[in-house]
Amino acid sequence: MRNSTVKPNTPKFERHFLHPRYWPLWLAMGLLRLLALLPHKVKLKLGSPLGNLLYWLAPQRRKLAAANIALSFPDWSAEKHHALLRAHFRSLGIGMMELLIVWWGGYRREDDRKERALVTFHNLDIIKKLQAEGRGVIMLVPHFTHIDMTGLFLQLELSYAPVYRPHDDPLMEYLITKGRTVFRDGAPWVTPISKDASRTMLKHLKRGGLLFYLPDQRYRNPKQRVDATFFGRPAPSNPATSKLAQLTGAAVVPVFTRRINDHYHVTCLPPVDNFPSGDDLADTERLHRLYEQEIRHNPAQYLWVHDRWNLSNEDIERLSSQA
């Protein structure tokens, strides 16, 4: 497939990154680099106990996840809510260990057989066919705990631009951008785009590029958001998927991943038909139904620790008591 149409914003190392205030972060990165040398299965096995530890070390996130689960599955028993909550934190821990594979995996070498052995693609030809026709594609990838692995696997086959939120810390921004920028044969292959760079996204899609787009987090802009129902409750949502598709003619293809017994299944759905419809709220509701369907099939791996509904502290306390 063609290389990315986006000119990479190659991150530059700054001398002030060596300042003592950054030493704890460098130490943490060094420890993570050592852990990355462990075999894949060992890393995943360490993920579950790490998640169990996070369950106790992050009480506010635990309460938020419990509230979100109770809100989304009101007909479940408290025992089933709690079982899902514990399974989610184990999946969250595994997701953190997966970052080691993404940042220091074999895909940065010519030999990426280890990574390819971990994944089975389903209907990937849908995206390849659209790209061969010269059409841009918005790959919708909701926030599951293995979202970084989804990005890794897709770049084994596709050149694309992931949309990301720039980090406030300059060193973290350098590390994240550097970690997500990939070259192949000296040409850009994966080139991140800031979520604020709307013009760059539009140009990329109009040129037939692929956009790795995360559509399902809480949207804070009151003037542009739509309050689309998600699991039966209005959620402040970003209608940008409709805007991007309307302005570029890009196809919208949901992409879902499931982690099953140390193996990953990446599935591409057919392009969403009659999209956009001209009604941003209706479009977002349609997408939410697709996300809900996948979440119900794979609930433990969805990112429940995100404050999707902008719940009040009172709601969090009340709902979390049900799990």
Side-chain angles (χ1 to χ4, degrees):
M1 309 308 289
R2 73 191 68 167
N3 286 346
S4 173
T5 67
V6 179
K7 183 178 179 180
N9 181 20
T10 307
K12 296 182 180 179
F13 183 86
E14 304 288 346
R15 290 189 62 184
H16 67 86
F17 290 158
L18 299 177
H19 189 277
R21 73 186 181 96
Y22 291 120
W23 289 358
L25 179 55
W26 283 119
L27 177 60
M29 293 298 294
L31 293 174
L32 291 174
R33 184 67 182 91
L34 289 176
L35 286 174
L37 300 176
L38 295 172
H40 173 72
K41 289 187 176 181
V42 175
K43 287 197 283 282
L44 293 192
K45 286 182 179 179
L46 290 175
S48 289
L50 174 60
N52 288 331
L53 181 62
L54 290 172
Y55 177 87
W56 295 109
L57 292 180
Q60 293 306 116
R61 289 291 176 179
R62 181 179 72 237
K63 288 183 179 181
L64 176 58
N68 287 337
I69 289 170
L71 186 152
S72 301
F73 304 103
D75 298 331
W76 287 14
S77 66
E79 290 77 14
K80 195 171 182 179
H81 283 162
H82 185 69
L84 175 55
L85 180 64
R86 295 305 300 262
H88 169 63
F89 268 85
R90 289 192 293 271
S91 180
L92 194 64
I94 292 172
M96 295 179 71
M97 297 302 293
E98 287 169 342
L99 277 173
L100 306 181
I101 302 170
V102 174
W103 281 41
W104 294 292
Y107 72 94
R108 294 189 178 279
R109 305 184 302 268
E110 292 184 2
D111 183 4
D112 53 22
R113 286 175 294 179
K114 289 183 179 180
E115 281 69 31
R116 290 183 180 275
L118 298 174
V119 63
T120 299
F121 291 107
H122 304 274
N123 304 323
L124 189 62
D125 285 345
I126 289 175
I127 295 177
K128 291 184 176 181
K129 183 175 182 295
L130 288 166
Q131 193 178 34
E133 295 170 354
R135 191 174 178 188
V137 180
I138 303 171
M139 301 185 293
L140 293 184
V141 188
H143 281 80
F144 283 76
T145 59
H146 42 54
I147 193 167
D148 291 289
M149 290 298 282
T150 302
L152 165 61
F153 294 135
L154 287 175
Q155 66 195 39
L156 296 176
E157 295 285 338
L158 303 170
S159 172
Y160 66 87
V163 178
Y164 80 107
R165 184 183 73 82
H167 203 282
D168 295 332
D169 182 277
L171 177 55
M172 280 302 301
E173 171 67 5
Y174 164 77
L175 293 171
I176 291 172
T177 307
K178 186 175 186 297
R180 292 179 177 175
T181 301
V182 178
F183 289 82
R184 286 194 177 179
D185 299 323
W189 186 255
V190 175
T191 50
I193 299 178
S194 166
K195 68 178 184 63
D196 301 318
S198 300
R199 290 184 180 180
T200 304
M201 293 184 212
L202 294 174
K203 289 180 180 179
H204 180 61
L205 290 171
K206 287 179 179 179
R207 294 170 181 169
L210 307 182
L211 203 66
F212 185 99
Y213 197 65
L214 289 63
D216 61 323
Q217 286 197 312
R218 174 165 57 102
Y219 192 52
R220 301 175 185 272
N221 190 325
K223 295 182 179 180
Q224 298 180 6
R225 80 183 192 194
V226 293
D227 291 324
T229 303
F230 188 55
F231 280 101
R233 181 180 179 125
S237 305
N238 189 346
T241 305
S242 296
K243 306 292 188 186
L244 289 170
Q246 179 183 7
L247 293 171
T248 64
V252 175
V253 178
V255 179
F256 298 132
T257 300
R258 298 182 189 180
R259 183 197 306 118
I260 303 174
N261 298 327
D262 299 343
H263 193 78
Y264 301 80
H265 294 263
V266 177
T267 301
C268 302
L269 272 59
V272 181
D273 62 345
N274 189 31
F275 192 97
S277 67
D279 185 332
D280 290 349
L281 177 59
D283 288 345
T284 307
E285 295 268 5
R286 286 185 64 197
L287 298 179
H288 281 187
R289 300 296 83 77
L290 292 173
Y291 308 153
E292 288 174 9
Q293 184 177 15
E294 177 61 19
I295 292 166
R296 292 182 190 279
H297 280 95
N298 189 20
Q301 294 176 19
Y302 188 63
L303 194 66
W304 296 112
V305 294
H306 172 62
D307 188 9
R308 184 65 183 89
W309 288 277
N310 194 23
L311 298 176
S312 66
N313 291 332
E314 292 78 12
D315 281 341
I316 292 174
E317 290 292 336
R318 176 179 56 82
L319 289 165
S320 64
S321 66
Q322 301 176 23

